[in-house]
Amino acid sequence: MAKIVAVANQKGGVGKTTTAVNLSSCVAALGKKVLIVDLDPQGNTTTGYGISKRSVDIGTYEILIGEADARQAVRKTEFRTDVIGSNTRLAGASLEMIDLPGRESRLRKALAPIQKDYDFIFIDCPPSLDLLTLNGLCACDSILIPVQCEYYALEGLSELISTLKTVRKKYNPYLDIEGVVFTMFSVRYNLTLQVVEQVKKYFGNKVYQTTIPRSIRISEAPSYGQPINFYEPKGKGSEAYMDLAIEFVKSNRPAEAVPKRRRGKAAAEPVETMGLADVKMDG
């Protein structure tokens, strides 16, 4: 039975879709059966896997509205990862779902029949707190939060945590935090270290050791319709996301043998090397 992980942050521009695409691809490269669901009307996850949005006749919108089942919407890709893509109609789904029964849990019910076919299902949520994101949070077992190392990221995190508490109380009592991953990371900036310290004070061991560096190649890969581990397999961006995937799989299968983290020059800088002590998560 697949573990469902929502990749979410209501603040835009933090590398959310980039992380959803590349982490899911790297987890699949480790031999796991992976599906990614594009819940963002912008459809960047869809195009990031080389699928034209115009070609998506059956996608997230259709399964949310009830016009099709999830199995019909699954697209196989050359990257070992299956995709349920989005099309332009998804932008109006929030309004159309308002009067539908079980509006906040429609994605969860839609994915249930195919959950047994995968090890992990990732959901790329929109950078907002609308009914689409609520469906993502209600459907998932845990949430993975990408955080850019800047001041406003902390403000967005506090709002997101407040949202998670509400969702737990009303809709999904088992919703857990999968982890927090730092994106667009550079130790050259003092602000980076300050943000890392603040986030670790709250989340403690929920913060991934792997960090994702700033990389032109990571930015380029979507325009070629490829995850970074296919676009530039030996680059530092690819190695960082592969390290994140290894860490992710280890945390979900502690006893399972997975490759050891690389320590080469191209590997991402782990948070543990910064001299920051782990602080246990509050509550």
Side-chain angles (χ1 to χ4, degrees):
M1 187 71 73
K3 181 174 187 178
I4 302 179
V5 180
V7 183
N9 191 328
Q10 63 206 63
K11 187 182 183 305
V14 299
K16 176 185 59 63
T17 295
T18 300
T19 295
V21 169
N22 294 323
L23 175 60
S24 58
S25 179
C26 288
V27 170
L30 293 174
K32 302 302 177 185
K33 295 179 181 177
V34 177
L35 169 70
I36 186 163
V37 180
D38 193 347
L39 197 56
D40 190 339
Q42 295 179 77
N44 292 334
T45 288
T46 304
T47 56
Y49 268 101
I51 300 170
S52 168
K53 286 181 282 187
R54 292 182 179 179
S55 73
V56 180
D57 297 320
I58 301 175
T60 314
Y61 169 83
E62 285 74 20
I63 68 173
L64 285 172
I65 298 302
E67 291 183 358
D69 62 52
R71 194 165 273 107
Q72 292 174 288
V74 171
R75 297 274 292 263
K76 302 288 182 181
T77 73
E78 61 188 286
F79 308 111
R80 306 188 188 100
T81 306
D82 290 351
V83 177
I84 294 181
S86 73
N87 51 39
T88 53
R89 287 189 283 177
L90 186 59
S94 290
L95 290 175
E96 294 183 51
M97 285 192 293
I98 288 177
D99 296 323
L100 295 179
R103 60 188 180 185
E104 74 283 340
S105 59
R106 296 185 70 83
L107 182 60
R108 180 173 61 197
K109 290 177 181 176
L111 293 177
I114 61 171
Q115 200 170 346
K116 65 182 182 300
D117 299 335
Y118 298 96
D119 296 311
F120 297 102
I121 297 176
F122 293 93
I123 302 172
D124 181 25
C125 297
S128 59
L129 288 178
D130 59 7
L131 194 50
L132 288 175
T133 299
L134 181 58
N135 263 267
L137 296 180
C138 288
C140 71
D141 299 301
S142 62
I143 176 174
L144 190 149
I145 310 169
V147 175
Q148 186 180 359
C149 294
E150 61 168 35
Y151 173 77
Y152 291 111
L154 298 177
E155 189 176 276
L157 263 182
S158 63
E159 293 173 359
L160 181 60
I161 296 307
S162 176
T163 299
L164 295 183
K165 288 179 180 177
T166 301
V167 172
R168 278 196 195 110
K169 185 176 181 180
K170 292 187 175 183
Y171 306 111
N172 186 359
Y174 305 107
L175 177 60
D176 191 17
I177 294 176
E178 182 71 33
V180 178
V181 58
F182 292 111
T183 60
M184 306 176 210
F185 189 89
S186 174
V187 293
R188 291 178 296 175
Y189 303 117
N190 287 332
L191 181 59
T192 294
L193 301 181
Q194 292 171 17
V195 171
V196 167
E197 189 170 11
Q198 288 298 315
V199 172
K200 284 184 71 68
K201 277 183 180 178
Y202 186 85
F203 291 100
N205 60 7
K206 291 285 187 179
V207 178
Y208 284 105
Q209 292 183 356
T210 305
T211 58
I212 307 302
R214 289 183 179 273
S215 165
I216 293 175
R217 297 298 189 190
I218 290 177
S219 301
E220 286 177 351
S223 64
Y224 290 86
Q226 296 179 327
I228 189 63
N229 59 316
F230 283 84
Y231 179 66
E232 191 189 34
K234 300 297 183 183
K236 66 177 183 177
S238 178
E239 295 198 359
Y241 272 112
M242 188 57 73
D243 281 343
L244 179 63
I246 291 169
E247 193 175 346
F248 171 85
V249 171
K250 275 185 176 179
S251 68
N252 282 287
R253 303 283 193 275
E256 186 173 313
V258 293
K260 292 182 178 179
R261 289 169 52 83
R262 282 179 298 276
R263 296 293 182 184
K265 291 182 180 179
E269 180 91 16
V271 173
E272 64 186 0
T273 63
M274 298 173 199
L276 297 176
D278 281 341
V279 181
K280 297 220 179 197
M281 189 172 171
D282 294 338

